[in-house]
Amino acid sequence: MPSPNPPASVLHALRRVMRPLVRLMLKKGVTYTYFADMLKGVFVEVAEQEFRLDDKPPSDSRISLITGVHRKDVRRLRDAPHDFSEQLPEAVSLGAHLVSTWLSTPPFCIRPGQAAPLPRLASAGGGQSFDALVGHVSKDIRARVVLDEWQRLGIARIDGEDRVHLETTAFVPQKGFDEKAAYFGHNVHDHACAAVHNLTADGPAFFERSVHYDALSPASIEQLRDAVSADGMQTLIAFNTLASQLEARDATGPDAQQRVTIGLYFYSEASAPPPTAVVDESGTKHP
């Protein structure tokens, strides 16, 4: 049975975590009523999948007990079809794989981390063309379809010599809200999973570290932003190259069933103002 008094530190952290999510919901028209019903479904789903006894599915009554969701709602939500997937959409997953290959696999890269400009057609570039890149990753989709979509999303461009240039060092579309939202869900989910594991699970912790300062000028923030964009991306490219090599080595093994996310982020905003000192009648200052 859950504790009637959750730790205050957890409640404070959850409230802070929810603020940017609520900001997103309000900007995109997700009301409290809609979100609250969706959240009920998440409570029921997690309780059903992760809080079993002896690996047996919990009863509606037990789920109601540990979640606080009414038993009638539990039954309704357990019977409702799930209209979402834990996986990235196929187009996004394929795009990420293509960008990774372009950045790390000869002859498509100049060196690991630097994608080569590729002739658009195999008739011009042979095995070092954009046609060949797409064919290397998937035989089920035409390169022209990928290129048209990537131009729409700002991921690739064609120059005057009919060569395709990669415009980004990761599959992060400059346009295309649905694609950005897919990555938002993937990245925030995995970051949260690592942090929750480190708070609640035994065994080795996942790496999850940050540095933070609160007395910097706007010029210093821009200098840090540029440094993170340059050096941080080089770090991620190195991890991408290693992961690509390891995946190729593991591909035929029976235990190649683990996924990994390695992330890096940068955020800045105005610091909270220091508390104003209050002077009482005796002249003593209090924070």
Side-chain angles (χ1 to χ4, degrees), residues 234-249:
Q234 289 305 309
T235 299
L236 289 178
I237 287 171
F239 287 138
N240 175 72
T241 300
L242 175 60
S244 178
Q245 294 168 349
L246 294 173
E247 185 180 59
R249 185 196 70 183

Side-chain angles (χ1 to χ4, degrees), residues 71 98 166 177 210 272:
R71 193 155 61 92
L98 281 167
L166 183 64
F177 181 81
S210 65

Side-chain angles (χ1 to χ4, degrees), residues 220-230 266-268:
S220 294
I221 293 295
E222 286 306 308
Q223 185 175 343
L224 282 167
R225 185 193 301 271
D226 291 343
V228 171
S229 296
F266 176 96
Y267 180 70
S268 174

